[in-house]
Amino acid sequence: MNAYLERVLADVKEKHSHEPEFVQAVEEVYSSLEPVIEKHPEYEKVDLLGRMVEPERMFTFRVVWCDDSGQWHTNRGWRCQFNGAIGPYKGGLRFQKNVYEGIIKFLGFEQTFKNSLTGLPIGGGKGGSDFDPAGKSDAEIMRFCQSYMSALYRYIGPDVDVPAGDMGVGAREIGYLYGQYRRLKGVWENGVITGKGFSYGGSRIRPEATGYGAVYYLCEVLKHENDTIEGKRIGVSGYGNVAWGIMKKAAELGAKVTYMAGPDGYVHDPDGICGEEKLNFILHMRATDPMHCKPYADKFGCKFVPDTKHWGAKDVDILMPAAMQNDVTLEWAERIAASGVKYYIEVANMPTTNDALALLRAQKHMIVAPCKAVNAGGVGVSALEMSQNSERLVWTAEEVDAQLKKMMADIHRNSAAAAEAYGLGYDLVAGANIAGFEKVADAMMAQGCF
Ligand code: GLU
């Protein structure tokens, strides 16, 4: 391996041994960059790789809130402004019990390359809290969001840093966060946050964008393979906002999601998880009991298998892990490889461990597509929301959808071209890392020391 690259990786491993997710994300991206670093020896002199793994700024703050019984609680909040070379920091907020620096940093690092891939001027950022939204009342969520924004508002802005949703942060939380920002600043700066409701500046198609974008990207892969989406059976994990978008768009294009997995096990619905009744039931199920997908199987009379995942099932054509990080480990990857499925399309951020990803990429019969390209339509449409807000315009669903479709086709084409340019063939994983890196690297070099 290139000596400089090796040195930076060893340094990251040592410095961040307490943040395994961050080390994993850096290793995944940097392992694709060897040919680029060989071609650009000037990067070593300015320590470009070392700079890129150090967030420009990361801070933590206290978030104190009062529950409905009058008891006060103290949580930790973070915002990581990872890389602002190509635009204002942009990335979501994750509210989940297991959040700590390592999760925020890995997400911020990934976001930098993902945002670069969209082709739009957005830098990389991420934030969140170890607040657990499970079982909280609406009023508790509101008070938490208000307290969170009270700590954050002075460090963000439409041209500074633009948060959005992620796990645990949906349209409701975005509304409360924005309401508090507006109250504190006394200005109408709705471009400060994305994922807003339509009535106060949200974009059409934003709720669907990540899932729709993933399916558009999948269609590009299928086109490359002289294949089509029609009649395909898709296995997803998760049944949150992203999986919901996949279910809807897949059905619209003549495919169907036949498997979904949750924390309690998996569901097999050979007729397809589609149609208004089933999709509405999932929304209801998520709102009332987010940790269980068994109620879906009970309601629609299909198979539920507790405490396991469906990875490795043979009666499926495409796999799309859309739940969370490290969902597919080496053991699952071995089963997936043995099942003969051809398409492994990552959707969630870092859903595959690095050893599992290496195993899948080594399978001659498989095509592997990386999350930072596949899920980039979400943040891409967030950038379109920012454009609409700054222009004080509202685009139609058709306009946003057409731009999303084009964005996903461009990401696929640019990734494939980047891999091709370095003699790597149709390697979408390496191609996305290289294409995402090159733009940020160029911008950092051009701007000098920072
Ligand atoms: N949290 C999403 C992501 O992982 C969306 C971020 C955004 O829209 O800023 O990309």
Side-chain angles (χ1 to χ4, degrees):
M1 195 195 263
N2 175 282
Y4 171 48
L5 191 55
E6 204 166 349
R7 217 165 353 99
V8 174
L9 280 177
D11 193 45
V12 168
K13 258 194 214 163
E14 195 192 311
K15 263 196 208 151
H16 299 275
S17 55
H18 56 297
E19 296 169 338
E21 296 85 357
F22 179 58
V23 174
Q24 182 184 337
V26 173
E27 285 186 321
E28 196 279 310
V29 173
Y30 277 15
S31 65
S32 298
L33 298 184
E34 178 143 34
V36 188
I37 306 307
E38 292 281 334
K39 196 177 142 196
H40 291 279
E42 72 275 19
Y43 288 168
E44 179 172 358
K45 192 123 212 124
V46 299
D47 191 29
L48 191 77
L49 294 180
R51 272 193 224 178
M52 267 197 183
V53 293
E54 193 60 46
E56 287 181 16
R57 196 173 300 103
M58 176 157 176
F59 45 90
T60 172
F61 43 90
R62 181 171 65 201
V63 188
V64 181
W65 58 280
C66 188
D67 72 21
D68 290 343
S69 73
Q71 175 65 50
W72 289 84
H73 301 266
T74 310
N75 280 99
R76 306 184 75 193
W78 290 270
R79 186 71 185 166
C80 175
Q81 300 179 334
F82 214 114
N83 194 312
I86 65 169
Y89 311 107
K90 179 86 197 85
L93 300 172
R94 179 175 291 193
F95 293 172
Q96 209 173 43
K97 212 159 80 183
N98 68 358
V99 164
Y100 77 108
E101 284 89 342
I103 300 263
I104 301 295
K105 239 181 250 179
F106 113 67
L107 289 164
F109 183 74
E110 280 283 297
Q111 197 83 43
T112 301
F113 300 94
K114 176 199 311 199
N115 292 4
S116 163
L117 281 171
T118 65
L120 296 167
I122 39 177
K126 205 82 191 191
S129 172
D130 57 3
F131 171 72
D132 181 8
K136 303 292 187 294
S137 73
D138 192 58
E140 288 169 336
I141 297 281
M142 188 195 291
R143 287 193 292 272
F144 177 81
C145 289
Q146 290 173 338
S147 182
Y148 188 93
M149 185 52 86
S150 300
L152 185 63
Y153 84 99
R154 60 186 83 233
Y155 307 109
I156 60 177
D159 295 315
V160 180
D161 182 358
V162 183
D166 196 86
M167 292 161 85
V169 179
R172 173 179 62 164
E173 289 73 15
I174 294 293
Y176 296 153
L177 289 162
Y178 179 62
Q180 184 71 357
Y181 180 88
R182 191 166 73 78
R183 181 175 302 129
L184 292 168
K185 293 275 298 228
V187 289
W188 182 263
E189 282 180 352
N190 62 350
V192 70
I193 197 161
T194 63
K196 298 181 291 291
F198 184 68
S199 58
Y200 61 102
S203 176
R204 292 288 188 212
I205 309 287
R206 179 62 190 91
E208 297 88 348
T210 311
Y212 280 19
V215 176
Y216 293 151
Y217 185 99
L218 165 68
C219 289
E220 296 298 318
V221 173
L222 292 164
K223 209 190 294 168
H224 180 272
E225 297 302 295
N226 292 320
D227 205 345
T228 73
I229 193 164
E230 245 161 70
K232 291 283 188 296
R233 299 157 301 176
I234 304 175
V236 303
S237 59
Y239 45 93
N241 179 259
V242 176
W244 166 79
I246 294 174
M247 290 163 182
K248 261 176 86 168
K249 185 51 78 177
E252 210 182 289
L253 299 178
K256 55 187 179 187
V257 171
T258 52
Y259 282 97
M260 70 176 173
D264 57 334
Y266 74 80
V267 168
H268 184 209
D269 182 351
D271 296 334
I273 305 169
C274 47
E276 221 164 289
E277 193 192 355
K278 288 178 175 175
L279 294 182
N280 283 342
F281 185 79
I282 290 180
L283 292 183
H284 158 81
M285 185 173 81
R286 229 165 59 198
T288 49
D289 182 10
M291 297 306 279
H292 296 91
C293 62
K294 183 175 180 290
Y296 177 96
D298 294 341
K299 163 104 180 153
F300 297 105
C302 46
K303 189 167 104 179
F304 173 78
V305 183
D307 304 323
T308 187
K309 307 180 186 195
H310 58 76
W311 309 128
K314 287 197 190 325
D315 52 354
V316 68
D317 307 294
I318 297 162
L319 295 179
M320 300 181 85
M324 61 171 133
Q325 68 271 11
N326 293 332
D327 184 5
V328 177
T329 55
L330 187 60
E331 295 71 43
W332 288 117
E334 280 162 357
R335 295 200 207 183
I336 290 170
S339 75
V341 70
K342 178 169 175 183
Y343 301 103
Y344 181 79
I345 312 291
E346 289 191 326
V347 188
N349 290 314
M350 209 166 75
T352 321
T353 60
N354 284 354
D355 50 1
L357 191 63
L359 181 123
L360 295 172
R361 287 174 71 193
Q363 304 304 309
K364 294 263 179 309
H365 69 281
M366 289 184 74
I367 306 265
V368 176
C371 52
K372 64 174 73 63
V374 178
N375 73 29
V379 74
V381 172
S382 276
L384 302 182
E385 182 172 333
M386 290 162 69
S387 298
Q388 294 170 73
N389 295 156
S390 70
E391 293 184 329
R392 305 249 188 272
L393 287 176
V394 177
W395 300 347
T396 64
E398 290 71 27
E399 285 171 314
V400 177
D401 195 41
Q403 292 219 37
L404 172 62
K405 210 178 274 178
K406 180 176 177 305
M407 193 187 309
M408 299 317 295
D410 288 348
I411 293 172
H412 173 265
R413 197 188 45 253
N414 294 340
S415 304
E420 201 60 61
Y422 285 95
L424 301 170
Y426 187 56
D427 183 342
L428 296 171
V429 176
N433 285 332
I434 292 171
F437 171 82
E438 282 185 329
K439 182 177 175 188
V440 179
D442 263 15
M444 289 175 78
M445 293 300 281
Q447 291 171 37
C449 296
F450 179 45

